[in-house]
Amino acid sequence: MGACAQSLIRCRSRWSYHPVMSERRSSESGFPIQGVYTAPDLPEDLDSRLGGPGEYPYTRGVYPTMYTARPWTMRQYAGFGTAAESNARYHQLLRAGTMGLSVAFDLPTQMGYDSDEPIAHGEVGKVGVAIDSIEDMRLLFDGIPLDKVSTSMTINAPGSVLLLLYQLVAEENGVPGAALNGTIQNDILKEYIARGTYIFPPKPSLRLVADTFAYCRAEVPKWNTISISGYHMAEAGASPVQEIAFTLANGVEYVRAAIAAGLAVDDFAPRLSFFFVARTTLLEEVAKFRAARRIWARLMRDEFGAKNPKSMMLRFHTQTAGVQLTAQQPEVNLVRVAVQGLGAVLGGTQSLHTNSFDEAIALPTEKAARLALRTQQVLAYETDLTATVDPFAGSYVVEAMTAEIEAAAEGLMQRVFEHGSAVEAIEVGFQKREIEQSAYQIAQQIDSGERVVVGLNRFAVDEEEPYEPLRVDPAIEVAQAERLATLRAERDAGAVEHARAQLRAAAEGSGNVLYPMKEALRARATVGEVCGTLREVWGMYRPSDRF
């Protein structure tokens, strides 16, 4: 490749030379990146692999016009402290021009515990908003027109519980389920692999997912019933190939579970959605998104016999890579996030969350959250990204990378299925082990300086500027406990117990548990009480358990 070149780089107020090696680079997924790509690097069957925008296999995007008709949904992830505090942030984001809301829940809510339970001590309102009952959900969405706003909720094990609370609040405001748009993450399998906010063992968890599919088809037909997530695996260290391979393998498991529960594939598959990360390695990320669409379309058509084109479309939300943000020189994160967001848009995302520059330090301040949204707005309205569909189509490098990622991901999926299924592979720790090996390699590369992180292992400053983070008031925990005490004193205790008994009977049988669950929540049972009822029947999953 030749000798190293010299790159002139401005470092602190003086010019200095740093050598930039021109040796061959490897992608995040491990395959070599050529210095130059030419026509022979393209797949021979490129035309059939591409199709047109909005046409099978959806490599060029799931819609014919993509952003030329309207930009992607700008959906900013937010939630902290009390429901009232988070509601104020949502109103601020809506005034700033966000198109959809994305709710972050605190750890007790994610684990199905009430704020006054001992296990919740010290975590109430810390990483998201505390939601204990319908009272909190009313406050969270006070003054927000739920028939006009699309809402995404990052909630998994108790995803059905939070969806029903949202529906109940909408009904109180005269908005029927048929008018609601949004998504619950509801992806329990990746919790066993990478995140850890599971409650129940996998078998009843998959039943709950399938019950949610069936319930939403009947009651909330425009709701996306699951967001099958690679994001958290990527944040744990997964490579782009691992991210889409393990995510799509989980998707296959959910489809099989729904079919086993008696649902026809074209009855639920159009409401499946996905959630991926966007890293700063822009070219590989664009290729990753295109490869994922192609693989999923083929799986749904050929393996599951889907006839409805919407069943074959891999629609996805993207969040920029939080794991790549640094606490050192945090303003540099603004640049990282812009590049990551650009990759998501060029890759054809349906919605996007751009991280705030201060998220490596604390919860975002109002100013930081506004700047994150402005990043998306600049991409949408000050560039020509929305002028044409899939601008990288036919690119030598992107088409070659897309084919390479596609082949590698399919090979890794086959290794998952050699265990029998994604669940059985999880049981023996296959995905977790593969991700941990990738994460260790990344850490080694950063520590050695082989992987440059600007401001961390290169171009550091002697002294960081002071930064005042957003802080959550610890008194929130006391206030939530008081609200719960008032709720329990004022509600009809007999009605709550009757509703919980109905839920318990459904969980012990084979009926859809969401209908009695909704009635329990309407009677003002708490999130912790509803999840506790299911724990009594289904038990709790512990990492040492066998499926």
Side-chain angles (χ1 to χ4, degrees), residues 82-89 129 139-140:
T82 66
E85 288 175 300
S86 292
N87 175 264
R89 176 63 64 86
V129 61
L139 279 175
L140 187 64

Side-chain angles (χ1 to χ4, degrees), residues 228-241:
I228 307 166
S229 175
Y231 181 87
H232 305 91
M233 289 186 271
E235 292 285 277
S239 71
V241 163

Side-chain angles (χ1 to χ4, degrees), residues 122-419:
E123 294 292 341
V124 176
K126 287 290 180 66
V127 300
V129 61
I131 299 295
D132 292 317
S133 71
I134 193 170
E135 309 277 340
D136 292 325
M137 193 63 94
R138 288 185 188 123
L139 279 175
L140 187 64
F141 291 102
D142 184 44
I144 295 174
L146 299 186
D147 55 341
K148 295 180 172 61
V149 170
S150 171
T151 302
S152 173
M153 292 187 276
T154 302
I155 193 76
N156 292 281
S160 55
V161 181
L162 276 298
L163 167 63
L164 293 172
L165 286 174
Y166 186 84
Q167 185 189 10
L168 285 166
V169 169
E171 289 174 351
E172 290 177 351
N173 288 277
V175 179
L180 296 177
N181 282 285
T183 304
I184 47 171
Q185 195 161 103
N186 200 28
D187 174 11
I188 197 62
L189 292 181
K190 66 94 173 48
E191 298 297 324
Y192 303 118
I193 296 172
R195 196 159 177 265
T197 60
Y198 41 70
I199 299 176
F200 316 112
K203 185 175 180 180
S205 292
L206 287 171
R207 172 193 169 180
L208 190 53
V209 170
D211 281 359
T212 304
F213 288 178
Y215 177 87
C216 286
R217 180 173 180 267
E219 308 295 339
V220 198
K222 291 191 286 186
W223 198 265
N224 296 316
T225 52
I226 192 169
S227 181
I228 307 166
S229 175
Y231 181 87
H232 305 91
M233 289 186 271
E235 292 285 277
S239 71
V241 163
Q242 290 173 334
E243 178 192 356
I244 65 169
F246 295 152
T247 302
L248 299 185
N250 286 350
V252 167
E253 190 75 14
Y254 291 123
V255 172
R256 289 173 176 168
I259 292 173
L263 300 176
V265 66
D266 285 327
D267 286 344
F268 68 86
R271 302 315 306 173
L272 302 180
S273 64
F274 292 80
F275 177 23
F276 296 115
V277 78
R279 303 169 179 82
T280 52
T281 44
L282 186 146
L283 296 176
E284 187 175 4
E285 291 300 285
V286 172
K288 176 192 76 178
F289 296 132
R290 300 168 92 250
R293 279 194 293 268
R294 200 147 72 201
I295 295 170
W296 187 249
R298 193 161 52 242
L299 276 169
M300 295 305 292
R301 187 192 69 175
D302 298 346
E303 181 168 341
F304 295 109
K307 305 298 183 191
N308 185 344
K310 291 182 178 180
S311 297
M312 307 174 207
M313 295 178 184
L314 185 142
R315 298 171 303 114
F316 66 94
H317 171 70
T318 307
Q319 182 172 338
T320 55
V323 74
Q324 290 188 319
L325 304 185
T326 63
Q328 297 81 8
Q329 300 181 51
E331 293 84 359
V332 178
N333 294 329
L334 287 165
V335 183
R336 292 187 177 102
V337 168
V339 174
Q340 293 162 349
L342 177 61
V345 172
L346 289 170
T349 192
Q350 276 57 71
S351 61
L352 176 62
H353 164 86
T354 35
N355 287 330
S356 300
F357 75 89
D358 54 356
E359 288 193 40
I361 302 171
L363 290 169
T365 62
E366 182 176 329
K367 179 180 180 180
R370 185 171 60 250
L371 283 170
L373 175 60
R374 294 288 183 254
T375 302
Q376 295 202 50
Q377 291 166 334
V378 169
L379 290 174
Y381 302 115
E382 292 192 19
T383 75
D384 55 2
L385 287 171
T386 60
T388 188
V389 177
D390 188 28
F392 273 134
S395 158
Y396 294 153
V397 59
V398 169
E399 297 297 359
M401 280 188 167
T402 300
E404 190 128 29
I405 291 172
E406 178 184 15
E410 288 184 321
L412 186 54
M413 290 175 71
Q414 185 57 41
R415 290 177 63 196
V416 171
F417 298 141
E418 284 171 1
H419 291 88

